[in-house]
Amino acid sequence: MDGKTDTIDVNEDEKGVSAGLNSVLQRNIEALVERRKKEEAEYTGEERLANVISRFAGSMMFVYVHLAIFGGWILANVWPFPGIPRFDPSLVILASAASVEAIFLSTFVLINQNRMAADDVKRADLDVQISLLTEHELTRLLALVSDIAEKLHVHSEVDSELDELKQDVAPEAVLDRLEDAET
């Protein structure tokens, strides 16, 4: 609740947590949204321009505008209208303009994709770090539970696997093994 209204959103509880989300997940979502806003605020003018152009070029409005312009251009030069002289009867100017536009559009799209690829690398690095932390925590938890079971004299049929499971995974060894398997 933001204090601006006296009504409670039926999808939120008293603490402002959305239905179906716990408070930690809600906090993480808000932190990611804030980080994305901060990163977008740090974009250069050129990056913002590339974003706007790429977003527009990927919209149906872009298609409609081009249908109108190209369609009108072609109609005006193939079937002349009274009072409008043919200005590009061979459509060479239209083809040249479309080619130049395609060059610039593809450049803007590539700029956008490069930025998105850099963002993907950051997310992948974060995913790896979180996965490694989770694996380490689970390994420690398994060792703790194993020690508790031993003190309580509770034995399992999988005791032979426990020693192996209680060892931390070395990520560089996993990567080396994957690379060896690919060659």
Side-chain angles (χ1 to χ4, degrees):
M1 296 191 355
D2 58 6
K4 295 178 184 175
T5 62
D6 293 330
T7 60
I8 296 176
D9 185 354
V10 293
N11 294 325
E12 292 184 359
D13 65 11
E14 306 82 44
K15 297 176 186 173
V17 176
S18 297
L21 302 177
N22 64 36
S23 60
V24 173
L25 187 56
Q26 182 81 20
R27 183 197 67 208
N28 290 345
I29 290 170
E30 289 170 4
L32 290 172
V33 167
E34 284 301 313
R35 181 166 186 113
R36 188 171 296 141
K37 285 179 183 177
K38 179 184 170 210
E39 287 174 354
E40 287 175 1
E42 293 173 355
Y43 287 168
T44 64
E46 292 90 357
E47 289 172 323
R48 285 192 186 105
L49 178 64
N51 267 346
V52 169
I53 292 171
S54 295
R55 197 173 307 123
F56 177 66
S59 71
M60 284 307 294
M61 182 57 71
F62 182 81
V63 173
Y64 300 144
V65 166
H66 280 75
L67 279 173
I69 291 171
F70 290 173
W73 189 297
I74 292 168
L75 287 174
N77 286 287
V78 173
W79 294 294
F81 294 103
I84 300 176
R86 289 179 159 183
F87 51 89
D88 185 17
S90 63
L91 302 177
V92 171
I93 297 171
L94 177 63
S96 297
S99 296
V100 170
E101 179 188 40
I103 291 168
F104 281 104
L105 283 177
S106 61
T107 302
F108 285 120
V109 169
L110 287 172
I111 290 168
N112 221 15
Q113 285 180 336
N114 287 340
R115 185 190 46 78
M116 291 169 63
D119 291 346
D120 288 344
V121 167
K122 285 193 272 186
R123 280 190 211 100
D125 287 345
L126 177 62
D127 285 346
V128 167
Q129 291 301 319
I130 289 172
S131 294
L132 290 172
L133 178 61
T134 301
E135 188 279 329
H136 177 74
E137 290 170 345
L138 288 174
T139 300
R140 294 294 168 237
L141 185 60
L142 182 61
L144 179 64
V145 170
S146 177
D147 290 345
I148 292 170
E150 188 177 313
K151 288 204 185 291
L152 295 176
H153 305 292
V154 178
H155 298 286
S156 166
E157 292 80 39
V158 293
D159 281 344
S160 62
E161 293 179 32
L162 283 179
D163 290 336
E164 186 178 333
L165 292 173
K166 290 190 287 186
Q167 295 176 5
D168 273 326
V169 172
E172 58 280 350
V174 174
L175 288 173
D176 290 343
R177 179 71 174 111
L178 287 171
E179 288 172 358
D180 289 344
E182 289 177 357
T183 57

